[in-house]
Amino acid sequence: MAYTNHTVLPEALEKWSLELMQKLLPRHVDIIEMIDEELIRTIVSEYGTADSKLLEKKLKQMRILENVELPAAFSDLLVKPKKSTVAVSSEWSCCDS
Protein backbone atom coordinates (compact mmCIF):
# COMPACT_ATOMS: atom_id res chain seq x y z
CA MET A 1 0.00 0.00 0.00
CA ALA A 2 1.36 3.41 -0.95
CA TYR A 3 0.32 6.61 0.83
CA THR A 4 1.24 10.22 0.22
CA ASN A 5 0.13 12.96 2.58
CA HIS A 6 -0.09 16.02 0.29
CA THR A 7 -1.37 18.29 3.04
CA VAL A 8 2.16 18.89 4.32
CA LEU A 9 3.29 20.29 0.96
CA PRO A 10 3.10 24.09 0.65
CA GLU A 11 1.45 23.90 -2.78
CA ALA A 12 -1.36 21.81 -1.30
CA LEU A 13 -2.26 24.42 1.32
CA GLU A 14 -5.24 26.58 0.54
CA LYS A 15 -5.25 30.30 1.31
CA TRP A 16 -8.45 32.23 1.91
CA SER A 17 -8.83 35.99 1.96
CA LEU A 18 -9.38 37.57 5.34
CA GLU A 19 -12.66 39.07 4.12
CA LEU A 20 -14.01 35.64 3.20
CA MET A 21 -12.90 34.17 6.51
CA GLN A 22 -14.54 37.03 8.45
CA LYS A 23 -17.77 36.45 6.56
CA LEU A 24 -17.86 32.66 6.90
CA LEU A 25 -15.96 32.01 10.12
CA PRO A 26 -15.92 35.16 12.28
CA ARG A 27 -15.09 33.38 15.55
CA HIS A 28 -12.20 31.55 13.89
CA VAL A 29 -10.82 34.89 12.70
CA ASP A 30 -11.01 36.24 16.25
CA ILE A 31 -8.98 33.28 17.47
CA ILE A 32 -6.47 33.59 14.60
CA GLU A 33 -6.03 37.30 15.39
CA MET A 34 -5.39 36.49 19.06
CA ILE A 35 -2.77 33.91 18.09
CA ASP A 36 -1.20 36.37 15.63
CA GLU A 37 -0.93 39.05 18.35
CA GLU A 38 0.71 36.59 20.73
CA LEU A 39 3.13 35.59 17.98
CA ILE A 40 3.96 39.28 17.39
CA ARG A 41 4.73 39.67 21.10
CA THR A 42 7.03 36.63 20.94
CA ILE A 43 8.83 37.92 17.83
CA VAL A 44 9.32 41.36 19.40
CA SER A 45 10.66 39.87 22.64
CA GLU A 46 12.96 37.54 20.71
CA TYR A 47 14.42 40.08 18.25
CA GLY A 48 13.91 43.37 20.13
CA THR A 49 13.15 46.76 18.65
CA ALA A 50 16.67 48.13 18.18
CA ASP A 51 16.96 46.96 14.55
CA SER A 52 13.65 47.92 12.95
CA LYS A 53 14.61 46.44 9.56
CA LEU A 54 15.31 43.03 11.11
CA LEU A 55 12.11 43.19 13.15
CA GLU A 56 10.06 44.12 10.08
CA LYS A 57 11.63 41.24 8.11
CA LYS A 58 10.94 38.72 10.87
CA LEU A 59 7.35 39.91 11.30
CA LYS A 60 6.75 39.59 7.56
CA GLN A 61 8.26 36.08 7.48
CA MET A 62 6.64 34.70 10.62
CA ARG A 63 3.20 36.27 11.07
CA ILE A 64 0.10 34.19 10.52
CA LEU A 65 -1.89 36.95 8.83
CA GLU A 66 -0.28 38.14 5.61
CA ASN A 67 -0.83 41.61 4.16
CA VAL A 68 -2.60 42.79 7.30
CA GLU A 69 -1.63 45.88 9.28
CA LEU A 70 -0.09 45.38 12.69
CA PRO A 71 -2.59 45.58 15.56
CA ALA A 72 -2.86 49.03 17.17
CA ALA A 73 -0.88 47.91 20.23
CA PHE A 74 2.16 47.27 18.00
CA SER A 75 1.72 49.91 15.30
CA ASP A 76 4.40 52.24 16.70
CA LEU A 77 7.11 49.56 16.55
CA LEU A 78 7.90 50.08 12.88
CA VAL A 79 7.18 53.80 12.59
CA LYS A 80 10.12 55.44 10.91
CA PRO A 81 10.90 59.03 11.90
CA LYS A 82 10.43 61.52 9.09
CA LYS A 83 13.51 63.35 7.95
CA SER A 84 13.36 67.11 8.12
CA THR A 85 13.10 68.76 4.71
CA VAL A 86 13.73 72.28 5.92
CA ALA A 87 16.68 73.87 4.15
CA VAL A 88 18.52 76.86 5.54
CA SER A 89 19.80 79.32 2.99
CA SER A 90 22.40 81.95 3.86
CA GLU A 91 20.58 84.23 1.42
CA TRP A 92 17.65 84.48 3.87
CA SER A 93 19.67 84.57 7.05
CA CYS A 94 18.41 86.93 9.73
CA CYS A 95 21.94 87.85 10.74
CA ASP A 96 23.09 89.48 7.47
CA SER A 97 24.46 93.00 7.86
Side-chain angles (χ1 to χ4, degrees):
M1 176 170 98
Y3 175 77
T4 303
N5 185 353
H6 293 284
T7 59
V8 297
L9 301 174
E11 59 271 11
L13 298 176
E14 204 172 313
K15 290 186 179 184
W16 290 13
S17 71
L18 185 59
E19 293 80 22
L20 179 62
M21 290 280 292
Q22 286 172 330
K23 185 177 180 180
L24 299 176
L25 305 164
R27 179 65 183 135
H28 289 71
V29 172
D30 290 342
I31 295 167
I32 291 168
E33 288 173 341
M34 288 172 26
I35 294 169
D36 189 54
E37 285 190 30
E38 185 59 35
L39 181 59
I40 292 169
R41 280 189 200 89
T42 302
I43 294 168
V44 169
S45 68
E46 180 74 25
Y47 295 98
T49 58
D51 186 349
S52 63
K53 287 184 180 185
L54 175 65
L55 181 59
E56 188 173 8
K57 178 183 173 186
K58 292 299 180 181
L59 286 170
K60 187 173 183 171
Q61 289 175 341
M62 301 169 80
R63 282 189 64 198
I64 295 170
L65 298 173
E66 293 178 352
N67 304 317
V68 176
E69 294 292 322
L70 283 173
F74 302 99
S75 62
D76 63 334
L77 289 176
L78 300 177
V79 174
K80 296 172 181 76
K82 292 183 180 180
K83 293 182 181 179
S84 177
T85 58
V86 176
V88 177
S89 172
S90 61
E91 182 180 329
W92 297 96
S93 177
C94 65
C95 301
D96 286 343
S97 306

